[in-house]
Amino acid sequence: HRSGACCEAPAIAVGRVTWSMASARRLFLAWQRRVNGFELVSADADSGVFVFRCSHFDRATRSCDSYDSRPGVCRDYPRNLMWQPNPELLPACGYRASPPNAAGLRAALEKAGLTLEQREALRKGLRLDG
């Protein structure tokens, strides 16, 4: 899905070592600039996230000018978020997080003695509707 939403401001969370060690941080940012074409826009110390502007993103066409050779962080979105317990995907993203056992969980909810409201809240909270 080529919405371009993830290209407008790529954000990368880094570990404590990269964030706190100036030399590691400089190396990380230099790598992003040189290899990926990402220019630093802002940094959030509370979450350990760097936000970038991608030099390959064409705002007019909302597309990547080097799509076939785009950086791994772009190529792997949103797959690189799926290891998280509650992945937050961009609203325009065509992908949805759904557990591999969603069908079994939906069936179990239908058999459970729950109200419709309780079932719907659990389906939403567990992302069972993909």
Side-chain angles (χ1 to χ4, degrees):
H1 193 275
R2 292 185 179 188
S3 71
C6 55
C7 306
E8 287 188 61
I12 301 174
V14 298
R16 193 175 40 212
V17 171
T18 303
W19 189 266
S20 61
M21 290 181 57
S23 58
R25 188 172 53 253
R26 278 193 305 274
L27 182 61
F28 173 80
L29 294 173
W31 173 270
Q32 296 304 325
R33 185 174 43 257
R34 175 84 169 124
V35 174
N36 292 335
F38 291 175
E39 295 295 331
L40 183 64
V41 173
S42 66
D44 182 357
D46 292 334
S47 60
V49 172
F50 290 106
V51 179
F52 300 93
R53 180 189 61 76
C54 181
S55 62
H56 299 287
F57 181 62
D58 182 333
R59 293 193 185 291
T61 63
R62 300 196 47 76
S63 63
C64 180
D65 68 10
S66 61
Y67 188 79
D68 291 333
S69 63
R70 67 196 182 280
V73 68
C74 303
R75 190 174 39 257
D76 294 339
Y77 181 86
R79 189 176 43 231
N80 57 357
L81 298 177
M82 292 301 125
W83 61 270
Q84 297 176 359
N86 193 18
E88 292 295 324
L89 304 179
L90 294 165
C93 182
Y95 295 96
R96 296 291 167 256
S98 182
N101 60 344
L105 290 170
R106 281 193 300 269
L109 284 177
E110 294 302 319
K111 293 177 186 175
L114 301 170
T115 67
L116 177 62
E117 291 81 20
Q118 289 170 323
R119 279 196 313 270
E120 290 302 315
L122 283 169
R123 285 173 69 109
K124 182 179 180 186
L126 295 171
R127 299 177 188 248
L128 299 180
D129 297 321

PDB file of all heavy atoms in Angstrom, residues 78 81-89 93-100 102 106 123-130:
ATOM      1  N   PRO A  78       4.957  -2.195   7.609  1.00  0.00           N
ATOM      2  CA  PRO A  78       4.872  -2.182   9.063  1.00  0.00           C
ATOM      3  C   PRO A  78       5.356  -3.481   9.719  1.00  0.00           C
ATOM      4  O   PRO A  78       5.219  -3.652  10.919  1.00  0.00           O
ATOM      5  CB  PRO A  78       3.384  -2.006   9.313  1.00  0.00           C
ATOM      6  CG  PRO A  78       2.763  -2.820   8.222  1.00  0.00           C
ATOM      7  CD  PRO A  78       3.682  -2.607   7.019  1.00  0.00           C
ATOM      8  N   LEU A  81       7.077  -3.465  12.999  1.00  0.00           N
ATOM      9  CA  LEU A  81       6.319  -3.113  14.203  1.00  0.00           C
ATOM     10  C   LEU A  81       5.570  -4.295  14.799  1.00  0.00           C
ATOM     11  O   LEU A  81       5.104  -4.231  15.931  1.00  0.00           O
ATOM     12  CB  LEU A  81       5.300  -2.013  13.888  1.00  0.00           C
ATOM     13  CG  LEU A  81       5.842  -0.686  13.404  1.00  0.00           C
ATOM     14  CD1 LEU A  81       4.695   0.254  13.081  1.00  0.00           C
ATOM     15  CD2 LEU A  81       6.758  -0.068  14.427  1.00  0.00           C
ATOM     16  N   MET A  82       5.447  -5.370  14.046  1.00  0.00           N
ATOM     17  CA  MET A  82       4.572  -6.469  14.453  1.00  0.00           C
ATOM     18  C   MET A  82       5.056  -7.224  15.684  1.00  0.00           C
ATOM     19  O   MET A  82       4.286  -7.931  16.309  1.00  0.00           O
ATOM     20  CB  MET A  82       4.353  -7.452  13.302  1.00  0.00           C
ATOM     21  CG  MET A  82       3.543  -6.874  12.168  1.00  0.00           C
ATOM     22  SD  MET A  82       1.916  -6.345  12.694  1.00  0.00           S
ATOM     23  CE  MET A  82       1.904  -4.662  12.160  1.00  0.00           C
ATOM     24  N   TRP A  83       6.314  -7.082  16.074  1.00  0.00           N
ATOM     25  CA  TRP A  83       6.803  -7.744  17.281  1.00  0.00           C
ATOM     26  C   TRP A  83       6.317  -7.048  18.533  1.00  0.00           C
ATOM     27  O   TRP A  83       6.384  -7.583  19.623  1.00  0.00           O
ATOM     28  CB  TRP A  83       8.332  -7.819  17.274  1.00  0.00           C
ATOM     29  CG  TRP A  83       8.976  -6.456  17.248  1.00  0.00           C
ATOM     30  CD1 TRP A  83       9.311  -5.737  16.141  1.00  0.00           C
ATOM     31  CD2 TRP A  83       9.301  -5.635  18.376  1.00  0.00           C
ATOM     32  NE1 TRP A  83       9.845  -4.518  16.506  1.00  0.00           N
ATOM     33  CE2 TRP A  83       9.853  -4.433  17.889  1.00  0.00           C
ATOM     34  CE3 TRP A  83       9.204  -5.803  19.746  1.00  0.00           C
ATOM     35  CZ2 TRP A  83      10.278  -3.417  18.710  1.00  0.00           C
ATOM     36  CZ3 TRP A  83       9.641  -4.771  20.569  1.00  0.00           C
ATOM     37  CH2 TRP A  83      10.170  -3.595  20.031  1.00  0.00           C
ATOM     38  N   GLN A  84       5.822  -5.842  18.388  1.00  0.00           N
ATOM     39  CA  GLN A  84       5.341  -5.086  19.545  1.00  0.00           C
ATOM     40  C   GLN A  84       3.999  -5.629  20.014  1.00  0.00           C
ATOM     41  O   GLN A  84       3.185  -6.093  19.206  1.00  0.00           O
ATOM     42  CB  GLN A  84       5.195  -3.609  19.189  1.00  0.00           C
ATOM     43  CG  GLN A  84       6.484  -2.943  18.821  1.00  0.00           C
ATOM     44  CD  GLN A  84       6.283  -1.507  18.387  1.00  0.00           C
ATOM     45  OE1 GLN A  84       5.170  -0.994  18.346  1.00  0.00           O
ATOM     46  NE2 GLN A  84       7.379  -0.837  18.069  1.00  0.00           N
ATOM     47  N   PRO A  85       3.718  -5.558  21.321  1.00  0.00           N
ATOM     48  CA  PRO A  85       2.450  -6.086  21.828  1.00  0.00           C
ATOM     49  C   PRO A  85       1.240  -5.303  21.341  1.00  0.00           C
ATOM     50  O   PRO A  85       0.154  -5.848  21.230  1.00  0.00           O
ATOM     51  CB  PRO A  85       2.592  -5.995  23.350  1.00  0.00           C
ATOM     52  CG  PRO A  85       3.699  -5.040  23.601  1.00  0.00           C
ATOM     53  CD  PRO A  85       4.586  -5.073  22.396  1.00  0.00           C
ATOM     54  N   ASN A  86       1.400  -4.029  21.050  1.00  0.00           N
ATOM     55  CA  ASN A  86       0.281  -3.209  20.600  1.00  0.00           C
ATOM     56  C   ASN A  86       0.762  -2.244  19.525  1.00  0.00           C
ATOM     57  O   ASN A  86       0.899  -1.058  19.764  1.00  0.00           O
ATOM     58  CB  ASN A  86      -0.311  -2.451  21.799  1.00  0.00           C
ATOM     59  CG  ASN A  86      -1.645  -1.842  21.481  1.00  0.00           C
ATOM     60  OD1 ASN A  86      -2.299  -2.225  20.527  1.00  0.00           O
ATOM     61  ND2 ASN A  86      -2.057  -0.882  22.272  1.00  0.00           N
ATOM     62  N   PRO A  87       1.047  -2.756  18.322  1.00  0.00           N
ATOM     63  CA  PRO A  87       1.621  -1.896  17.278  1.00  0.00           C
ATOM     64  C   PRO A  87       0.673  -0.778  16.874  1.00  0.00           C
ATOM     65  O   PRO A  87      -0.521  -0.995  16.713  1.00  0.00           O
ATOM     66  CB  PRO A  87       1.872  -2.857  16.117  1.00  0.00           C
ATOM     67  CG  PRO A  87       0.951  -3.994  16.351  1.00  0.00           C
ATOM     68  CD  PRO A  87       0.759  -4.098  17.824  1.00  0.00           C
ATOM     69  N   GLU A  88       1.224   0.415  16.737  1.00  0.00           N
ATOM     70  CA  GLU A  88       0.455   1.569  16.297  1.00  0.00           C
ATOM     71  C   GLU A  88       0.797   1.836  14.840  1.00  0.00           C
ATOM     72  O   GLU A  88       1.884   2.310  14.530  1.00  0.00           O
ATOM     73  CB  GLU A  88       0.774   2.788  17.155  1.00  0.00           C
ATOM     74  CG  GLU A  88       0.290   2.673  18.583  1.00  0.00           C
ATOM     75  CD  GLU A  88      -1.224   2.617  18.702  1.00  0.00           C
ATOM     76  OE1 GLU A  88      -1.921   3.305  17.912  1.00  0.00           O
ATOM     77  OE2 GLU A  88      -1.709   1.886  19.582  1.00  0.00           O
ATOM     78  N   LEU A  89      -0.128   1.526  13.962  1.00  0.00           N
ATOM     79  CA  LEU A  89       0.079   1.759  12.532  1.00  0.00           C
ATOM     80  C   LEU A  89      -0.533   3.094  12.152  1.00  0.00           C
ATOM     81  O   LEU A  89      -1.507   3.541  12.759  1.00  0.00           O
ATOM     82  CB  LEU A  89      -0.560   0.639  11.714  1.00  0.00           C
ATOM     83  CG  LEU A  89      -0.093  -0.775  12.055  1.00  0.00           C
ATOM     84  CD1 LEU A  89      -0.819  -1.795  11.198  1.00  0.00           C
ATOM     85  CD2 LEU A  89       1.392  -0.907  11.891  1.00  0.00           C
ATOM     86  N   CYS A  93      -2.314   3.630   6.634  1.00  0.00           N
ATOM     87  CA  CYS A  93      -1.662   2.370   6.289  1.00  0.00           C
ATOM     88  C   CYS A  93      -2.716   1.329   5.905  1.00  0.00           C
ATOM     89  O   CYS A  93      -3.721   1.170   6.598  1.00  0.00           O
ATOM     90  CB  CYS A  93      -0.824   1.868   7.467  1.00  0.00           C
ATOM     91  SG  CYS A  93       0.064   0.341   7.105  1.00  0.00           S
ATOM     92  N   GLY A  94      -2.485   0.637   4.840  1.00  0.00           N
ATOM     93  CA  GLY A  94      -3.415  -0.392   4.379  1.00  0.00           C
ATOM     94  C   GLY A  94      -3.306  -1.692   5.140  1.00  0.00           C
ATOM     95  O   GLY A  94      -4.110  -2.601   4.945  1.00  0.00           O
ATOM     96  N   TYR A  95      -2.343  -1.811   6.019  1.00  0.00           N
ATOM     97  CA  TYR A  95      -2.151  -3.027   6.797  1.00  0.00           C
ATOM     98  C   TYR A  95      -2.852  -2.912   8.142  1.00  0.00           C
ATOM     99  O   TYR A  95      -3.048  -1.816   8.657  1.00  0.00           O
ATOM    100  CB  TYR A  95      -0.657  -3.282   7.041  1.00  0.00           C
ATOM    101  CG  TYR A  95       0.106  -3.551   5.786  1.00  0.00           C
ATOM    102  CD1 TYR A  95       0.791  -2.525   5.153  1.00  0.00           C
ATOM    103  CD2 TYR A  95       0.138  -4.816   5.221  1.00  0.00           C
ATOM    104  CE1 TYR A  95       1.499  -2.761   3.987  1.00  0.00           C
ATOM    105  CE2 TYR A  95       0.843  -5.056   4.058  1.00  0.00           C
ATOM    106  CZ  TYR A  95       1.516  -4.020   3.448  1.00  0.00           C
ATOM    107  OH  TYR A  95       2.207  -4.252   2.301  1.00  0.00           O
ATOM    108  N   ARG A  96      -3.212  -4.044   8.707  1.00  0.00           N
ATOM    109  CA  ARG A  96      -3.814  -4.095  10.027  1.00  0.00           C
ATOM    110  C   ARG A  96      -3.151  -5.191  10.830  1.00  0.00           C
ATOM    111  O   ARG A  96      -2.865  -6.265  10.298  1.00  0.00           O
ATOM    112  CB  ARG A  96      -5.321  -4.375   9.957  1.00  0.00           C
ATOM    113  CG  ARG A  96      -6.100  -3.272   9.277  1.00  0.00           C
ATOM    114  CD  ARG A  96      -6.120  -2.008  10.143  1.00  0.00           C
ATOM    115  NE  ARG A  96      -6.585  -0.871   9.414  1.00  0.00           N
ATOM    116  CZ  ARG A  96      -5.808   0.113   8.948  1.00  0.00           C
ATOM    117  NH1 ARG A  96      -4.524   0.087   9.124  1.00  0.00           N
ATOM    118  NH2 ARG A  96      -6.304   1.120   8.310  1.00  0.00           N
ATOM    119  N   ALA A  97      -2.927  -4.922  12.117  1.00  0.00           N
ATOM    120  CA  ALA A  97      -2.349  -5.922  13.005  1.00  0.00           C
ATOM    121  C   ALA A  97      -3.463  -6.857  13.465  1.00  0.00           C
ATOM    122  O   ALA A  97      -4.520  -6.417  13.883  1.00  0.00           O
ATOM    123  CB  ALA A  97      -1.712  -5.248  14.210  1.00  0.00           C
ATOM    124  N   SER A  98      -3.219  -8.136  13.339  1.00  0.00           N
ATOM    125  CA  SER A  98      -4.190  -9.128  13.765  1.00  0.00           C
ATOM    126  C   SER A  98      -3.422 -10.349  14.261  1.00  0.00           C
ATOM    127  O   SER A  98      -2.496 -10.806  13.596  1.00  0.00           O
ATOM    128  CB  SER A  98      -5.096  -9.518  12.589  1.00  0.00           C
ATOM    129  OG  SER A  98      -6.062 -10.449  12.997  1.00  0.00           O
ATOM    130  N   PRO A  99      -3.793 -10.895  15.432  1.00  0.00           N
ATOM    131  CA  PRO A  99      -3.074 -12.058  15.935  1.00  0.00           C
ATOM    132  C   PRO A  99      -3.271 -13.270  15.020  1.00  0.00           C
ATOM    133  O   PRO A  99      -4.312 -13.410  14.384  1.00  0.00           O
ATOM    134  CB  PRO A  99      -3.687 -12.302  17.319  1.00  0.00           C
ATOM    135  CG  PRO A  99      -4.964 -11.548  17.336  1.00  0.00           C
ATOM    136  CD  PRO A  99      -4.870 -10.469  16.318  1.00  0.00           C
ATOM    137  N   PRO A 100      -2.282 -14.144  14.950  1.00  0.00           N
ATOM    138  CA  PRO A 100      -2.384 -15.305  14.063  1.00  0.00           C
ATOM    139  C   PRO A 100      -3.529 -16.246  14.441  1.00  0.00           C
ATOM    140  O   PRO A 100      -4.038 -16.964  13.598  1.00  0.00           O
ATOM    141  CB  PRO A 100      -1.027 -15.998  14.196  1.00  0.00           C
ATOM    142  CG  PRO A 100      -0.402 -15.432  15.415  1.00  0.00           C
ATOM    143  CD  PRO A 100      -1.016 -14.094  15.652  1.00  0.00           C
ATOM    144  N   ALA A 102      -6.560 -15.271  15.466  1.00  0.00           N
ATOM    145  CA  ALA A 102      -7.739 -14.414  15.563  1.00  0.00           C
ATOM    146  C   ALA A 102      -9.035 -15.189  15.363  1.00  0.00           C
ATOM    147  O   ALA A 102     -10.009 -14.974  16.096  1.00  0.00           O
ATOM    148  CB  ALA A 102      -7.644 -13.271  14.557  1.00  0.00           C
ATOM    149  N   ARG A 106     -11.998 -15.333  18.101  1.00  0.00           N
ATOM    150  CA  ARG A 106     -13.353 -14.862  17.795  1.00  0.00           C
ATOM    151  C   ARG A 106     -14.379 -15.929  18.134  1.00  0.00           C
ATOM    152  O   ARG A 106     -15.420 -15.644  18.727  1.00  0.00           O
ATOM    153  CB  ARG A 106     -13.462 -14.449  16.327  1.00  0.00           C
ATOM    154  CG  ARG A 106     -12.885 -13.087  16.023  1.00  0.00           C
ATOM    155  CD  ARG A 106     -13.295 -12.580  14.641  1.00  0.00           C
ATOM    156  NE  ARG A 106     -12.851 -13.446  13.569  1.00  0.00           N
ATOM    157  CZ  ARG A 106     -11.686 -13.330  12.928  1.00  0.00           C
ATOM    158  NH1 ARG A 106     -10.850 -12.363  13.267  1.00  0.00           N
ATOM    159  NH2 ARG A 106     -11.364 -14.142  11.967  1.00  0.00           N
ATOM    160  N   ARG A 123     -13.074  -7.809  21.112  1.00  0.00           N
ATOM    161  CA  ARG A 123     -12.673  -7.956  19.705  1.00  0.00           C
ATOM    162  C   ARG A 123     -11.827  -6.762  19.272  1.00  0.00           C
ATOM    163  O   ARG A 123     -10.810  -6.929  18.603  1.00  0.00           O
ATOM    164  CB  ARG A 123     -13.895  -8.074  18.793  1.00  0.00           C
ATOM    165  CG  ARG A 123     -14.586  -9.404  18.857  1.00  0.00           C
ATOM    166  CD  ARG A 123     -15.868  -9.376  18.052  1.00  0.00           C
ATOM    167  NE  ARG A 123     -15.605  -9.294  16.643  1.00  0.00           N
ATOM    168  CZ  ARG A 123     -15.810 -10.305  15.796  1.00  0.00           C
ATOM    169  NH1 ARG A 123     -16.265 -11.446  16.222  1.00  0.00           N
ATOM    170  NH2 ARG A 123     -15.558 -10.156  14.516  1.00  0.00           N
ATOM    171  N   LYS A 124     -12.229  -5.570  19.684  1.00  0.00           N
ATOM    172  CA  LYS A 124     -11.488  -4.351  19.323  1.00  0.00           C
ATOM    173  C   LYS A 124     -10.138  -4.330  20.035  1.00  0.00           C
ATOM    174  O   LYS A 124      -9.102  -4.095  19.428  1.00  0.00           O
ATOM    175  CB  LYS A 124     -12.293  -3.116  19.650  1.00  0.00           C
ATOM    176  CG  LYS A 124     -11.597  -1.830  19.265  1.00  0.00           C
ATOM    177  CD  LYS A 124     -12.430  -0.627  19.568  1.00  0.00           C
ATOM    178  CE  LYS A 124     -11.680   0.630  19.160  1.00  0.00           C
ATOM    179  NZ  LYS A 124     -12.378   1.821  19.551  1.00  0.00           N
ATOM    180  N   GLY A 125     -10.146  -4.560  21.346  1.00  0.00           N
ATOM    181  CA  GLY A 125      -8.926  -4.511  22.124  1.00  0.00           C
ATOM    182  C   GLY A 125      -7.890  -5.555  21.712  1.00  0.00           C
ATOM    183  O   GLY A 125      -6.688  -5.318  21.763  1.00  0.00           O
ATOM    184  N   LEU A 126      -8.363  -6.720  21.288  1.00  0.00           N
ATOM    185  CA  LEU A 126      -7.459  -7.797  20.841  1.00  0.00           C
ATOM    186  C   LEU A 126      -7.167  -7.721  19.347  1.00  0.00           C
ATOM    187  O   LEU A 126      -6.478  -8.593  18.811  1.00  0.00           O
ATOM    188  CB  LEU A 126      -8.071  -9.160  21.200  1.00  0.00           C
ATOM    189  CG  LEU A 126      -8.211  -9.456  22.685  1.00  0.00           C
ATOM    190  CD1 LEU A 126      -9.032 -10.731  22.901  1.00  0.00           C
ATOM    191  CD2 LEU A 126      -6.856  -9.577  23.318  1.00  0.00           C
ATOM    192  N   ARG A 127      -7.747  -6.740  18.675  1.00  0.00           N
ATOM    193  CA  ARG A 127      -7.554  -6.542  17.224  1.00  0.00           C
ATOM    194  C   ARG A 127      -7.930  -7.789  16.433  1.00  0.00           C
ATOM    195  O   ARG A 127      -7.183  -8.255  15.557  1.00  0.00           O
ATOM    196  CB  ARG A 127      -6.104  -6.140  16.921  1.00  0.00           C
ATOM    197  CG  ARG A 127      -5.700  -4.840  17.574  1.00  0.00           C
ATOM    198  CD  ARG A 127      -4.247  -4.531  17.313  1.00  0.00           C
ATOM    199  NE  ARG A 127      -3.811  -3.411  18.082  1.00  0.00           N
ATOM    200  CZ  ARG A 127      -3.484  -2.229  17.556  1.00  0.00           C
ATOM    201  NH1 ARG A 127      -3.561  -2.046  16.266  1.00  0.00           N
ATOM    202  NH2 ARG A 127      -3.094  -1.249  18.326  1.00  0.00           N
ATOM    203  N   LEU A 128      -9.100  -8.329  16.738  1.00  0.00           N
ATOM    204  CA  LEU A 128      -9.528  -9.561  16.102  1.00  0.00           C
ATOM    205  C   LEU A 128     -10.198  -9.358  14.750  1.00  0.00           C
ATOM    206  O   LEU A 128     -10.457 -10.321  14.037  1.00  0.00           O
ATOM    207  CB  LEU A 128     -10.462 -10.350  17.038  1.00  0.00           C
ATOM    208  CG  LEU A 128      -9.848 -10.765  18.364  1.00  0.00           C
ATOM    209  CD1 LEU A 128     -10.855 -11.539  19.185  1.00  0.00           C
ATOM    210  CD2 LEU A 128      -8.598 -11.591  18.127  1.00  0.00           C
ATOM    211  N   ASP A 129     -10.495  -8.139  14.405  1.00  0.00           N
ATOM    212  CA  ASP A 129     -11.178  -7.869  13.136  1.00  0.00           C
ATOM    213  C   ASP A 129     -10.219  -7.405  12.050  1.00  0.00           C
ATOM    214  O   ASP A 129     -10.633  -7.007  10.983  1.00  0.00           O
ATOM    215  CB  ASP A 129     -12.297  -6.856  13.344  1.00  0.00           C
ATOM    216  CG  ASP A 129     -13.370  -7.407  14.274  1.00  0.00           C
ATOM    217  OD1 ASP A 129     -13.693  -8.602  14.167  1.00  0.00           O
ATOM    218  OD2 ASP A 129     -13.859  -6.652  15.119  1.00  0.00           O
ATOM    219  N   GLY A 130      -8.918  -7.456  12.354  1.00  0.00           N
ATOM    220  CA  GLY A 130      -7.891  -7.124  11.364  1.00  0.00           C
ATOM    221  C   GLY A 130      -8.059  -5.767  10.858  1.00  0.00           C
ATOM    222  O   GLY A 130      -7.645  -5.151  10.053  1.00  0.00           O
TER     223      GLY A 130
END
